[in-house]
Amino acid sequence: MQLYDAIFYRKSIKKYSTKRLSINMFEEVRNLCQDVDSLNKEIKIKAHPILKGDSLKFIIKKRHRLVAPHYIVLTVQLPEEEEEKETPIKYFDSVGFVGEELILKLTGMGLATSWVDENFNKESVLDFVHLDGNEKPVMLIALGFPEGKDLFRKENEIIDRKPMKKIAKNVDEKWTNIIECVRIAPSYKNLQPWIFYQNNKSLDIYMKKDSDENMNQLNMGIALKHFEIGCKYHNIDFKYIKLEVKDKLRKEYYISVV
């Protein structure tokens, strides 16, 4: 299954079978985790798969109530000079960008996944995975087989997402299929904070403001990964670039596509 197809078939799974991956399949997951590209090249994102995921159920806060046979720990490693700043570089979008590609690849393997937000005991994770000195855990991905056979979205299944007209303003037809990939992307609390505006020189992407900035950034990273996959599938050359663009009412300028 191509990543583009996985965008439309994949759904978040909250209930997992106790069945574990075979050693060979887990090794395939481990190999996928070693080949990740960050959105921001200054930020190093790593993915650490955990074989005995049931051990983590005691460090995930009770409100998650999500127990999977395996997990992937996503970590961030910032340049040393960034660690010393009062306001270090933002990195949750890079985490979302990396994690979502992994999730879509795992979907192609026939595996169930779910994002687990940052509210877990990060110190206790160190009992299960070896991290470098300035590497810190920030997010989890639950991984395994679904309870039952309901892994993929059904054909023509209604998806709880905003209509295109709510997230794309005056956009050329060539971008419609690409933005559709973003429209159905998962997001924390289903906030779907992305909105696209087109002008003569660029396609500008804005983020609706929210109190939980970290998770909103994660949402945007997921969206940019879906956008990238859509462009590659439809053979559209592009690059992300920061321009001198003003914020809009209750919307923060995020990035542009040229």
Side-chain angles (χ1 to χ4, degrees), residues 57-230:
K57 65 183 179 181
F58 300 107
I59 68 172
I60 298 175
K61 290 189 174 180
K62 289 182 180 179
R63 72 185 187 87
H64 287 297
R65 296 180 180 177
L66 191 159
V67 179
H70 313 282
Y71 290 89
I72 295 173
V73 182
L74 295 174
T75 66
V76 62
Q77 200 168 13
L78 298 176
E80 291 184 7
E81 60 270 20
E82 290 294 335
E83 291 284 356
E84 297 173 0
K85 293 181 180 178
E86 290 186 12
T87 54
I89 192 170
K90 295 176 181 178
Y91 54 77
F92 269 86
D93 52 356
S94 288
V95 174
F97 190 82
V98 166
E100 186 64 10
E101 179 167 341
L102 274 176
I103 279 175
L104 294 173
K105 287 179 177 177
L106 294 168
T107 300
M109 291 174 60
L111 296 174
T113 55
S114 179
W115 282 99
V116 181
D117 68 33
E118 59 178 333
N119 292 305
F120 61 92
N121 189 330
K122 297 178 178 64
E123 292 299 320
S124 295
V125 170
L126 302 180
D127 294 335
F128 304 96
V129 60
H130 172 74
L131 304 181
D132 293 336
N134 63 336
E135 185 183 359
K136 62 180 181 180
V138 289
M139 292 289 293
L140 294 176
I141 295 172
L143 170 65
F145 297 104
E147 187 178 88
K149 298 181 180 180
D150 196 16
L151 173 61
F152 299 125
R153 288 193 185 112
K154 295 180 176 63
E155 190 173 355
N156 300 321
E157 180 178 336
I158 296 175
I159 306 172
D160 181 19
R161 298 290 191 272
K162 295 175 183 176
M164 182 68 73
K165 65 182 180 180
K166 291 287 188 181
I167 66 166
K169 307 295 183 181
N170 302 318
V171 171
D172 288 347
E173 186 176 347
K174 82 165 191 172
W175 292 116
T176 302
N177 289 335
I178 312 303
I179 296 175
E180 176 64 13
C181 294
V182 177
R183 190 185 74 83
I184 64 173
S187 58
Y188 179 65
K189 294 184 178 179
N190 204 22
L191 289 174
Q192 308 160 57
W194 39 77
I195 185 165
F196 296 78
Y197 292 87
Q198 188 166 355
N199 59 47
N200 293 333
K201 296 182 179 180
S202 62
L203 181 65
D204 301 327
I205 307 175
Y206 286 76
M207 176 179 70
K208 291 189 176 180
K209 296 180 179 179
D210 183 74
S211 57
D212 193 333
E213 185 178 0
N214 286 345
M215 300 310 294
N216 225 20
Q217 289 281 331
L218 183 98
N219 292 338
M220 295 304 295
I222 292 171
L224 295 187
K225 174 51 68 176
H226 279 229
F227 190 93
E228 175 192 90
I229 292 169

